[in-house]
């Protein structure tokens, strides 16, 4: 029919042009426009082809964006944790210009652990004279010492016991649970990174403390040589004699401190602040079953259901009388008010001299002999009257002026809730595994029952029904044990395969990082030539 294409060729060319977007070779532009402009409905390309590609592309972009956002949030949280941790250890540095009534705002270093108390809270309590300062302790004390002998000993004391407080840095690191495994877990490298970061931070804090000790010794030496240019932040001899003239021994660490120590709210026993901050709540643990022997079996089962997967945190008890909710009170000395929060510096304190001191000075001017007066003689009206003598009864934990352990560690509720949520997640996982095992065991038991019924039909009728029941129960128990063992082996193999794949991915990632570096190193000689 001339140049007009046949029906078969026209339909074939139209299909070709519409599917590829190319005009038909026959020049039928009208057919091309109508067929290509109208979308094809109910076809694979429109339902799952183009749209699926677009959705997958947009989904990939959204997934990548969400992952990057999560990584950003994690890095921000980690940076905040690192900042808080560094601020905590910065507050543990003893600075001699931060003194209150002859003591300091940071511990001396008698202990090297359990320094996880809230340093900001304790500093505020000391500044407000609600808690005794951290005093430099005396290892021993003898009442026969003279004033000069005591001053020589006090001036030789360091600002901080660095060798004791940071002795863990010289020791080997704690053994990790994955150290002896061939394939390390994913959290192993994170733990090692955190340990190394903490060690570097402690080394930094140790060096800062050494610098502070060096400045302290230098200024103390300058005070002894230059009377005109004394550092006002260093305690004067009068302040040292007033504080350590009649020291008191702490019953826990057996070191001697100024007599104005903290007093327990319950049994009126003295305790230094360094020992007080060591006391803490126990880690979250299951409740004690004290009434298990007196209850019936049914009541015991109901109680187990109630307390299942629960944790408690018991309040800290008194180290002397074991009373709960341990707390202390502090009465500052009435004739010593120096340092931070006061107009009088530690170096400007002048002790009121007694009659014995004046007699001693007159005798010293006449005879020019060495001072022989003892420490017990030059004492003013008791400046360190213990609060135990003032307070003769115990106080409640919520009484005004009582500082409890929970006040210096206010995050115990957060730790308890996190431990409970972690235990609940473990319990949910165990329940899911147990339910899946029951389903698998149920299917296997049904198959085993069919097989057993077939075998029982062929067994002679001489065996009794009771023996068959015992045999069935024994067989089902063996099958159950075998199934459990198979599941454990499968789980171990699966975890091993996952660890191996993760290790391979890490090796490949490291190799990819090394390749650009090697390529750039190879190109550098060519450029220079």
């Amino acid at each position: 029919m001339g140049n007009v294409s046949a029906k078969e060729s026209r339909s074939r060319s139209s299909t070709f042009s519409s599917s590829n977007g190319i005009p038909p070779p026959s020049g039928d532009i009208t057919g091309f426009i109508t067929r290509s402009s109208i979308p094809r409905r109910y076809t694979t390309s429109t339902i799952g082809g183009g749209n699926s590609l677009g959705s997958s592309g947009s989904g990939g972009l959204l997934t990548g964006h969400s992952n990057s956002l999560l990584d950003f949030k994690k890095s921000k949280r980690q940076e905040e944790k690192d900042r808080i941790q560094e601020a905590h250890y910065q507050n543990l540095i003893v600075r001699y210009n931060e003194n209150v009534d002859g003591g300091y705002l940071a511990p001396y270093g008698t202990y090297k652990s359990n320094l996880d108390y809230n340093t900001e809270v304790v500093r505020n309590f000391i500044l407000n004279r609600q808690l005794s300062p951290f005093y430099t302790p005396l290892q021993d004390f003898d009442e026969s010492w003279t004033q000069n002998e005591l001053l020589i000993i006090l001036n030789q004391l360091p600002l901080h016991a660095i060798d004791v407080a940071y002795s863990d840095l010289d020791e080997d690191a704690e053994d990790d649970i994955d150290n002896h495994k061939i394939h390390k877990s994913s959290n192993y490298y994170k733990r090692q990174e955190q340990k190394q970061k903490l060690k570097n931070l402690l080394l930094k804090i140790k060096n800062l403390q050494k610098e502070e000790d060096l400045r302290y010794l230098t200024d103390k030496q300058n005070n002894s040589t230059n009377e005109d240019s004394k550092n006002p932040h260093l305690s004067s001899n009068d302040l040292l004699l007033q504080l350590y003239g009649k020291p008191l021994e702490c019953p826990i660490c057996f070191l001697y401190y100024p007599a104005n120590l903290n007093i327990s709210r319950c049994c009126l026993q003295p305790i230094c602040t360094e020992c007080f901050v060591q006391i803490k709540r126990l880690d979250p643990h299951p409740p004690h079953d004290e009434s298990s022997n007196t209850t019936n079996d049914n009541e015991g089962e109901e109680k187990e259901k109630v307390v299942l997967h629960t944790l408690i945190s018991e309040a800290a008890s008194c180290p002397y009388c074991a009373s709960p909710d341990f707390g202390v009170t502090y009465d500052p000395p009435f004739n010593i008010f120096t340092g931070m929060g006061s107009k009088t510096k530690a170096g400007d304190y002048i002790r009121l001299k007694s009659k014995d001191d004046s007699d001693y000075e007159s005798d010293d001017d006449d005879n020019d002999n060495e001072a022989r007066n003892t420490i017990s003689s030059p004492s003013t009206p008791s400046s360190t009257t213990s609060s135990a003598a003032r307070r003769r009864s115990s106080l409640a934990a919520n009484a005004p002026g009582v500082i409890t352990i929970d006040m210096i560690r206010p995050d115990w509720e957060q730790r308890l809730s996190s431990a409970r949520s972690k235990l609940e997640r473990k319990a949910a996982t165990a329940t899911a595994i147990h339910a899946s095992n029951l389903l698998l065991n149920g299917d296997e038991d049904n198959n085993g029952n069919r097989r057993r019924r077939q075998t029982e039909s062929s067994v002679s009728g001489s065996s009794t029904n009771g023996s068959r029941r015992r045999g069935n129960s024994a067989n089902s128990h063996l099958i159950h044990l075998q199934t459990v063992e198979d599941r454990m082996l499968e789980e171990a193999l699966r975890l091993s395969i996952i660890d191996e794949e993760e290790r391979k991915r890490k090796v490949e990632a490291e190799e990819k990082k090394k390749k650009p570096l090697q390529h750039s190193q190879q190109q550098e000689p060519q450029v220079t030539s």
Side-chain angles (χ1 to χ4, degrees):
M1 298 292 293
N3 292 330
V4 180
S5 58
K7 181 179 180 180
E8 294 179 358
S9 63
R10 190 165 58 244
S11 62
R12 196 178 296 115
S13 63
S14 301
T15 304
F16 173 79
S17 62
S18 63
S19 61
N20 295 280
I22 302 174
S26 59
D28 189 2
I29 303 299
T30 306
F32 167 73
I33 294 173
T34 54
R35 290 182 176 88
S36 60
S37 60
I38 300 174
R40 299 173 64 187
R41 299 191 303 175
Y42 309 111
T43 59
T44 307
S45 61
T46 56
I47 296 174
N51 293 337
S52 63
L53 289 173
S55 62
S56 63
S58 61
L61 290 174
L62 290 174
T63 304
H65 179 68
S66 61
N67 290 336
S68 62
L69 186 61
L70 288 175
D71 294 339
F72 178 74
K73 289 182 178 179
K74 286 182 180 179
S75 64
K76 281 294 184 183
R77 284 197 296 267
Q78 188 62 39
E79 289 176 1
E80 183 67 17
K81 287 182 181 179
D82 295 341
R83 187 189 63 78
I84 293 174
Q85 189 179 43
E86 184 173 0
H88 171 79
Y89 282 102
Q90 286 282 351
N91 288 335
L92 294 179
I93 298 176
V94 184
R95 299 177 175 87
Y96 68 92
N97 58 341
E98 296 179 349
N99 58 80
V100 176
D101 298 341
Y104 303 101
L105 301 182
Y108 171 75
T110 306
Y111 303 96
K112 59 183 178 181
S113 60
N114 281 351
L115 296 176
D116 55 347
Y117 64 91
N118 193 315
T119 55
E120 292 292 340
V121 173
V122 173
R123 287 168 65 93
N124 290 332
F125 282 148
I126 295 175
L127 290 173
N128 295 329
R129 271 73 176 179
Q130 295 177 287
L131 199 64
S132 176
F134 291 99
Y135 286 105
T136 303
L138 286 172
Q139 299 292 331
D140 197 5
F141 179 76
D142 190 354
E143 292 184 357
S144 63
W145 288 346
T146 62
Q147 289 186 8
N148 292 335
E149 291 174 347
L150 179 60
L151 286 175
I152 291 172
I153 294 174
L154 291 174
N155 289 323
Q156 290 177 351
L157 292 176
L159 184 64
H160 185 269
I162 298 179
D163 297 334
V164 178
Y166 296 98
S167 60
D168 289 342
L169 295 177
D170 300 330
E171 299 176 358
D172 295 334
E174 295 181 0
D175 192 13
D176 196 274
I177 57 176
D178 290 345
N179 281 342
H180 306 290
K181 292 183 180 180
I182 298 175
H183 306 302
K184 313 297 184 185
S185 63
S186 59
N187 293 328
Y188 171 77
Y189 299 99
K190 293 181 181 179
R191 290 196 299 269
Q192 295 300 320
E193 183 181 357
Q194 292 297 326
K195 288 180 181 178
Q196 187 61 35
K197 190 182 296 184
L198 178 60
K199 186 175 181 180
N200 295 336
L201 177 60
L202 291 177
L203 285 173
K204 177 183 175 181
I205 298 300
K206 183 179 180 181
N207 293 331
L208 292 175
Q209 185 64 66
K210 285 184 177 180
E211 295 175 0
E212 189 71 22
D213 288 358
L214 183 60
R215 285 195 296 269
Y216 174 72
L217 294 176
T218 304
D219 291 345
K220 185 181 289 188
Q221 187 176 4
N222 293 334
N223 279 12
S224 61
T225 56
N226 300 326
E227 294 290 336
D228 297 333
S229 60
K230 285 188 175 182
N231 191 328
H233 296 293
L234 295 176
S235 299
S236 64
N237 291 337
D238 287 342
L239 180 59
L240 293 176
L241 291 175
Q242 185 68 43
L243 290 173
Y244 294 91
K246 290 184 178 180
L248 191 64
E249 184 182 17
C250 177
I252 296 179
C253 62
F254 303 109
L255 297 176
Y256 289 88
Y257 295 90
N260 51 305
L261 291 180
N262 306 300
I263 301 298
S264 61
R265 68 167 187 86
C266 45
C267 52
L268 308 181
Q269 292 295 321
I271 181 173
C272 65
T273 305
E274 194 133 358
C275 292
F276 175 71
V277 298
Q278 289 292 309
I279 302 172
K280 59 189 297 187
R281 282 174 172 257
L282 294 176
D283 293 332
H285 59 277
H288 302 294
D289 190 10
E290 297 178 354
S291 60
S292 59
N293 297 328
T294 59
T295 56
N296 298 328
D297 295 337
N298 295 332
E299 293 178 357
E301 292 177 358
E302 292 178 357
K303 186 177 180 180
E304 288 180 358
K305 292 179 181 179
V306 172
V307 302
L308 188 63
H309 304 314
T310 58
L311 296 175
I312 61 172
S313 179
E314 295 180 348
S317 299
C318 175
Y320 304 113
C321 64
S323 298
D325 293 326
F326 178 61
V328 296
T329 59
Y330 174 67
D331 290 331
F334 67 90
N335 59 350
I336 299 178
F337 190 68
T338 62
M340 302 180 69
S342 173
K343 296 181 180 179
T344 305
K345 302 295 183 183
D348 300 334
Y349 179 82
I350 299 176
R351 182 169 59 99
L352 297 176
K353 296 182 179 180
S354 62
K355 180 180 178 181
D356 294 333
D357 290 335
S358 59
D359 294 342
Y360 162 72
E361 289 178 357
S362 61
D363 293 339
D364 187 39
D365 293 336
D366 295 336
N367 301 324
D368 291 332
N369 294 326
E370 185 180 359
R372 301 295 299 172
N373 56 328
T374 59
I375 298 167
S376 58
S377 60
S379 60
T380 59
S382 179
S383 64
T384 55
T385 304
S386 63
S387 58
R390 303 175 191 175
R391 178 168 58 86
R392 299 181 179 274
S393 61
S394 61
L395 297 175
N398 56 356
V402 175
I403 307 300
T404 61
I405 298 298
D406 293 340
M407 291 182 181
I408 66 173
R409 285 185 174 87
D411 60 339
W412 67 271
E413 292 181 343
Q414 182 180 358
R415 293 185 178 184
L416 177 60
S417 62
S418 61
R420 284 177 175 175
S421 61
K422 185 177 180 180
L423 183 62
E424 288 175 359
R425 288 194 298 269
K426 287 184 178 180
T429 304
T431 303
I433 294 174
H434 182 64
S436 62
N437 288 336
L438 289 178
L439 292 175
L440 293 174
N441 293 335
D443 295 338
E444 292 178 358
D445 289 341
N446 292 331
N447 296 330
N449 290 332
R450 294 193 193 96
R451 288 194 295 270
R452 283 195 297 273
R453 282 196 296 271
Q454 292 175 1
T455 55
E456 287 172 2
S457 61
S458 60
V459 176
S460 60
S462 60
S463 60
T464 61
N465 293 330
S467 63
R468 282 202 300 270
R469 292 193 191 94
R470 286 192 296 271
N472 294 339
S473 61
N475 291 333
S476 62
H477 183 66
L478 292 175
I479 292 171
H480 177 69
L481 292 177
Q482 186 65 32
T483 304
V484 171
E485 291 178 358
D486 294 340
R487 292 280 297 174
M488 292 173 66
L489 288 174
E490 290 175 359
E491 184 67 18
L493 290 173
R494 186 181 69 83
L495 294 175
S496 178
I497 291 171
I498 291 173
D499 291 340
E500 180 66 20
E501 291 177 353
E502 186 174 0
R503 186 185 67 82
K504 287 181 179 180
R505 283 197 300 270
K506 289 181 180 179
V507 171
E508 291 177 357
E510 291 178 357
E511 290 178 354
K512 289 180 181 179
K513 290 180 181 179
K514 292 178 181 179
K515 282 182 180 180
L517 294 175
Q518 295 176 357
H519 183 66
S520 61
Q521 291 175 0
Q522 292 175 1
Q523 287 181 353
E524 285 179 359
Q526 297 177 3
V527 174
T528 55
S529 62

Short mmCIF file of all heavy atoms in Angstrom, two decimals, residues 172-195:
data_model
loop_
_atom_site.label_atom_id
_atom_site.label_comp_id
_atom_site.label_asym_id
_atom_site.label_seq_id
_atom_site.Cartn_x
_atom_site.Cartn_y
_atom_site.Cartn_z
N ASP A 172 50.49 -2.07 85.64
CA ASP A 172 49.94 -2.57 84.39
C ASP A 172 48.44 -2.36 84.37
O ASP A 172 47.77 -2.35 85.41
CB ASP A 172 50.25 -4.07 84.24
CG ASP A 172 51.75 -4.31 84.11
OD1 ASP A 172 52.44 -3.38 83.65
OD2 ASP A 172 52.22 -5.40 84.47
N ALA A 173 47.91 -2.20 83.16
CA ALA A 173 46.47 -1.99 83.01
C ALA A 173 45.70 -3.26 83.37
O ALA A 173 46.23 -4.37 83.34
CB ALA A 173 46.14 -1.57 81.58
N GLU A 174 44.45 -3.08 83.72
CA GLU A 174 43.62 -4.22 84.07
C GLU A 174 43.42 -5.13 82.86
O GLU A 174 43.35 -4.68 81.72
CB GLU A 174 42.26 -3.74 84.59
CG GLU A 174 42.36 -2.95 85.88
CD GLU A 174 41.00 -2.51 86.37
OE1 GLU A 174 40.01 -2.84 85.69
OE2 GLU A 174 40.92 -1.86 87.41
N ASP A 175 43.35 -6.41 83.16
CA ASP A 175 43.19 -7.40 82.10
C ASP A 175 41.78 -7.32 81.53
O ASP A 175 40.80 -7.39 82.28
CB ASP A 175 43.47 -8.80 82.66
CG ASP A 175 43.61 -9.82 81.55
OD1 ASP A 175 43.75 -9.39 80.38
OD2 ASP A 175 43.58 -11.02 81.84
N ASP A 176 41.68 -7.16 80.22
CA ASP A 176 40.39 -7.09 79.55
C ASP A 176 39.90 -8.50 79.24
O ASP A 176 40.70 -9.43 79.05
CB ASP A 176 40.50 -6.27 78.27
CG ASP A 176 39.13 -5.85 77.75
OD1 ASP A 176 38.52 -6.63 77.02
OD2 ASP A 176 38.70 -4.74 78.08
N ILE A 177 38.59 -8.65 79.15
CA ILE A 177 38.02 -9.98 78.92
C ILE A 177 38.33 -10.49 77.52
O ILE A 177 38.31 -11.69 77.27
CB ILE A 177 36.49 -9.95 79.15
CG1 ILE A 177 35.83 -8.91 78.25
CG2 ILE A 177 36.18 -9.69 80.60
CD1 ILE A 177 34.32 -8.90 78.36
N ASP A 178 38.64 -9.57 76.59
CA ASP A 178 38.91 -9.97 75.21
C ASP A 178 40.40 -10.02 74.88
O ASP A 178 40.76 -10.22 73.71
CB ASP A 178 38.23 -8.99 74.24
CG ASP A 178 36.72 -9.14 74.27
OD1 ASP A 178 36.25 -10.15 74.81
OD2 ASP A 178 36.03 -8.24 73.77
N ASN A 179 41.26 -9.85 75.89
CA ASN A 179 42.69 -9.84 75.60
C ASN A 179 43.20 -11.18 75.08
O ASN A 179 44.13 -11.22 74.28
CB ASN A 179 43.47 -9.44 76.85
CG ASN A 179 43.46 -7.95 77.08
OD1 ASN A 179 43.17 -7.17 76.18
ND2 ASN A 179 43.74 -7.53 78.30
N HIS A 180 42.60 -12.26 75.53
CA HIS A 180 43.08 -13.59 75.18
C HIS A 180 42.29 -14.21 74.03
O HIS A 180 42.45 -15.40 73.75
CB HIS A 180 43.00 -14.51 76.41
CG HIS A 180 43.70 -13.96 77.61
ND1 HIS A 180 45.08 -13.85 77.70
CD2 HIS A 180 43.24 -13.44 78.77
CE1 HIS A 180 45.43 -13.33 78.86
NE2 HIS A 180 44.32 -13.05 79.53
N LYS A 181 41.44 -13.42 73.40
CA LYS A 181 40.67 -13.93 72.26
C LYS A 181 41.41 -13.62 70.96
O LYS A 181 42.10 -12.62 70.83
CB LYS A 181 39.28 -13.28 72.23
CG LYS A 181 38.39 -13.72 73.37
CD LYS A 181 37.01 -13.08 73.23
CE LYS A 181 36.09 -13.50 74.37
NZ LYS A 181 34.75 -12.88 74.24
N ILE A 182 41.23 -14.51 70.00
CA ILE A 182 41.85 -14.29 68.69
C ILE A 182 41.14 -13.16 67.96
O ILE A 182 41.78 -12.26 67.41
CB ILE A 182 41.82 -15.59 67.86
CG1 ILE A 182 42.63 -16.68 68.59
CG2 ILE A 182 42.37 -15.34 66.47
CD1 ILE A 182 42.56 -18.02 67.91
N HIS A 183 39.83 -13.23 67.94
CA HIS A 183 39.02 -12.20 67.28
C HIS A 183 38.37 -11.34 68.35
O HIS A 183 37.59 -11.83 69.16
CB HIS A 183 37.96 -12.84 66.39
CG HIS A 183 38.51 -13.82 65.38
ND1 HIS A 183 39.45 -13.46 64.46
CD2 HIS A 183 38.26 -15.13 65.19
CE1 HIS A 183 39.75 -14.51 63.71
NE2 HIS A 183 39.05 -15.54 64.15
N LYS A 184 38.73 -10.07 68.36
CA LYS A 184 38.23 -9.15 69.37
C LYS A 184 36.80 -8.71 69.03
O LYS A 184 36.42 -8.65 67.86
CB LYS A 184 39.12 -7.90 69.45
CG LYS A 184 40.61 -8.21 69.51
CD LYS A 184 40.99 -8.99 70.73
CE LYS A 184 42.50 -9.18 70.80
NZ LYS A 184 42.91 -10.04 71.92
N SER A 185 36.05 -8.41 70.06
CA SER A 185 34.69 -7.92 69.87
C SER A 185 34.72 -6.46 69.45
O SER A 185 35.76 -5.78 69.52
CB SER A 185 33.87 -8.10 71.15
OG SER A 185 34.42 -7.32 72.18
N SER A 186 33.56 -5.97 69.03
CA SER A 186 33.49 -4.58 68.55
C SER A 186 33.71 -3.58 69.68
O SER A 186 34.25 -2.49 69.47
CB SER A 186 32.13 -4.33 67.90
OG SER A 186 31.09 -4.57 68.83
N ASN A 187 33.30 -3.93 70.90
CA ASN A 187 33.47 -3.01 72.03
C ASN A 187 34.87 -3.03 72.62
O ASN A 187 35.20 -2.18 73.45
CB ASN A 187 32.46 -3.35 73.13
CG ASN A 187 31.03 -3.10 72.71
OD1 ASN A 187 30.77 -2.18 71.93
ND2 ASN A 187 30.11 -3.90 73.20
N TYR A 188 35.68 -4.01 72.21
CA TYR A 188 37.02 -4.11 72.78
C TYR A 188 37.85 -2.88 72.44
O TYR A 188 38.52 -2.30 73.31
CB TYR A 188 37.70 -5.37 72.26
CG TYR A 188 39.16 -5.48 72.61
CD1 TYR A 188 39.56 -5.86 73.88
CD2 TYR A 188 40.15 -5.19 71.66
CE1 TYR A 188 40.91 -5.94 74.21
CE2 TYR A 188 41.48 -5.28 71.98
CZ TYR A 188 41.86 -5.66 73.25
OH TYR A 188 43.19 -5.75 73.57
N TYR A 189 37.82 -2.46 71.18
CA TYR A 189 38.62 -1.32 70.76
C TYR A 189 38.11 -0.02 71.38
O TYR A 189 38.90 0.89 71.68
CB TYR A 189 38.61 -1.22 69.23
CG TYR A 189 39.19 -2.45 68.57
CD1 TYR A 189 38.36 -3.45 68.08
CD2 TYR A 189 40.56 -2.62 68.46
CE1 TYR A 189 38.89 -4.58 67.48
CE2 TYR A 189 41.10 -3.75 67.87
CZ TYR A 189 40.26 -4.74 67.38
OH TYR A 189 40.79 -5.85 66.81
N LYS A 190 36.81 0.07 71.60
CA LYS A 190 36.26 1.25 72.27
C LYS A 190 36.75 1.32 73.71
O LYS A 190 37.11 2.39 74.21
CB LYS A 190 34.73 1.23 72.23
CG LYS A 190 34.15 1.38 70.83
CD LYS A 190 32.64 1.38 70.89
CE LYS A 190 32.04 1.52 69.49
NZ LYS A 190 30.56 1.49 69.52
N ARG A 191 36.75 0.16 74.38
CA ARG A 191 37.22 0.14 75.77
C ARG A 191 38.70 0.51 75.86
O ARG A 191 39.12 1.26 76.74
CB ARG A 191 36.99 -1.24 76.38
CG ARG A 191 35.53 -1.58 76.63
CD ARG A 191 35.41 -2.75 77.58
NE ARG A 191 36.03 -3.95 77.02
CZ ARG A 191 35.38 -4.86 76.29
NH1 ARG A 191 34.10 -4.69 76.03
NH2 ARG A 191 36.01 -5.92 75.85
N GLN A 192 39.49 -0.02 74.93
CA GLN A 192 40.91 0.31 74.94
C GLN A 192 41.15 1.79 74.67
O GLN A 192 42.03 2.42 75.27
CB GLN A 192 41.65 -0.55 73.89
CG GLN A 192 41.63 -2.03 74.20
CD GLN A 192 42.30 -2.36 75.52
OE1 GLN A 192 43.32 -1.79 75.87
NE2 GLN A 192 41.72 -3.28 76.27
N GLU A 193 40.35 2.36 73.78
CA GLU A 193 40.48 3.78 73.48
C GLU A 193 40.12 4.63 74.69
O GLU A 193 40.80 5.62 75.00
CB GLU A 193 39.59 4.13 72.29
CG GLU A 193 39.71 5.58 71.84
CD GLU A 193 38.79 5.90 70.68
OE1 GLU A 193 38.11 4.97 70.19
OE2 GLU A 193 38.74 7.07 70.27
N GLN A 194 39.05 4.25 75.40
CA GLN A 194 38.66 5.00 76.58
C GLN A 194 39.71 4.88 77.69
O GLN A 194 40.00 5.85 78.41
CB GLN A 194 37.30 4.50 77.09
CG GLN A 194 36.14 4.81 76.17
CD GLN A 194 35.90 6.30 76.00
OE1 GLN A 194 36.11 7.08 76.91
NE2 GLN A 194 35.48 6.69 74.80
N LYS A 195 40.30 3.69 77.84
CA LYS A 195 41.34 3.51 78.86
C LYS A 195 42.56 4.37 78.56
O LYS A 195 43.13 5.00 79.45
CB LYS A 195 41.73 2.04 78.95
CG LYS A 195 40.67 1.15 79.58
CD LYS A 195 41.14 -0.29 79.63
CE LYS A 195 40.07 -1.20 80.25
NZ LYS A 195 40.51 -2.62 80.26
#
